[in-house]
Amino acid sequence: MEDYDVVIVGAGIGGLALGCALASNGRKTCVLEGRPRVTPSKRGLTLQPNGLETLQKLGLLDQVVRIGAKTTRLTWLEIGGGPLVTFDYSILDHPHNYLLTVVPSELELVLRKAFSSRGGMIYDSTFFREILRTRFGQAIKAERNGSPVEFSAKIIIGADGENSRVRQALGIPAHVRKYPDDFLFMLAGPVASFQIEARQYVARGKMAGFFPTRASTYIFYYLPGRRLQQFKSQKLESFLNELANIEPEVSDFLGSLRSWEDITHVSARRIDVNSWVADGAALLGDAVHALDPSWAQGANMALQDAAALSSTIERCFALDDFSANVLKNYERMRRKQAEFVQREAERTAQLTATENSFYYWLGKRVLKRAGRNTELMRIALQASCGLTDHFSLQERIRFLI
């Protein structure tokens, strides 16, 4: 049995960030990951001020900036129409008032290298199986390359996504809400004009976004009403032509998309749980608060979780108390904002990624009002960037009237 202070299940962005924080504090930490290696991503990931702030605290922001593309402006346009609003992130009173779009696999590699350099251990091709309670902590049973392995730890962390096996092993019930939509994600060639601003296009029942990465263009496409298989039955060329019609400047840079295999998709779900912690255990990221992708906050929220959880774990070691009662402080720090972001991302999707003519009209009204009023824009950006956990009633009314 291999002995650790903390065992983290899941080498995604949140799990690795937590590992970096714990290893920096001298905690003997390992991460278990089922994948045999990091494979190149087929999509992009937009880091926002809340996630960038956490990377700064981890001492990793400069490295991450080098693998991404910065933008301060995101323009929303109506498909077949004109501009609706340009969100200017530089108006935020925050040290990281910009967006940074990266390729997720490249970010994982940066985090892996940092974790290993700080003394952390990563076990790839290792599948979590079971938790056993002992007098001295947790015994974690896993399987590596078909052979059983065991680990012991004071605390086990489930950073293993919305289908978390750790959450299931702990017996923590989860309420799952499936959203009736799909998102397609892909990487195309770099477009010079997108280095200045990102663009997001909407129409009733349709949405597409174009964001720059360091060496490509990250494209997402909203597909309403579980039509994925019907949609993919058409020739890929038809879809690429549609993207080129939406944003003509990308038309000459879609050559890297040769088949539907070059495009990935997500059927979004919302996850809510009764408790984020148990004795000697905690969950983070999508394992406790998977959300609608409209605010692009999933990875950013996981990074914030990691920062809050690492400080709580340090308190556990200082007190020599690894009970749910002490770990609950982490949940108190994070739950309110997580639920706020889940709720407001859904409301944003209802107004922008919608086939309903009234909601679409209302969504355009909200966007245009934010574009005409700098203070409203700042309020909207603070919320969507994870910098606040509430809207006042007065603020809500101002967006509508």
Side-chain angles (χ1 to χ4, degrees), residues 356-384:
N356 181 286
S357 57
F358 172 74
Y359 283 133
Y360 179 66
W361 170 82
L362 187 59
K364 287 199 299 180
R365 178 183 175 87
V366 170
L367 288 171
K368 290 177 178 179
R369 284 188 61 79
R372 291 194 294 265
N373 186 306
T374 301
E375 184 56 30
L376 281 182
M377 182 180 294
R378 184 178 290 109
I379 291 168
L381 291 179
Q382 285 174 337
S384 65

Side-chain angles (χ1 to χ4, degrees), residues 76 78-79 180-181 183 201-208 222-225 227 292 294 345-364 367:
W76 286 65
E78 188 168 25
I79 297 173
D181 310 305
F183 281 84
Y201 288 84
V202 292
R204 190 157 60 90
K206 189 176 295 187
M207 178 187 293
Y222 162 74
L223 193 61
R227 300 174 189 169
D292 186 283
S294 295
E346 285 181 355
R347 288 176 174 169
T348 297
Q350 186 180 35
L351 296 179
T352 56
T354 178
E355 295 182 279
N356 181 286
S357 57
F358 172 74
Y359 283 133
Y360 179 66
W361 170 82
L362 187 59
K364 287 199 299 180
L367 288 171

Side-chain angles (χ1 to χ4, degrees), residues 186-231:
M186 65 217 80
L187 294 173
V191 181
S193 58
F194 294 161
Q195 301 299 319
I196 302 172
E197 66 175 13
R199 297 175 191 170
Q200 194 155 323
Y201 288 84
V202 292
R204 190 157 60 90
K206 189 176 295 187
M207 178 187 293
F210 302 84
F211 287 71
T213 75
R214 181 175 55 89
S216 60
T217 299
Y218 165 43
I219 302 173
F220 70 81
Y221 183 89
Y222 162 74
L223 193 61
R226 298 290 184 215
R227 300 174 189 169
L228 182 64
Q229 293 308 315
Q230 175 187 349
F231 190 82

Side-chain angles (χ1 to χ4, degrees), residues 5-27:
D5 293 328
V6 182
V7 170
I8 301 168
V9 179
I13 291 166
L16 289 169
L18 175 61
C20 287
L22 294 172
S24 295
N25 292 331
R27 299 299 164 199

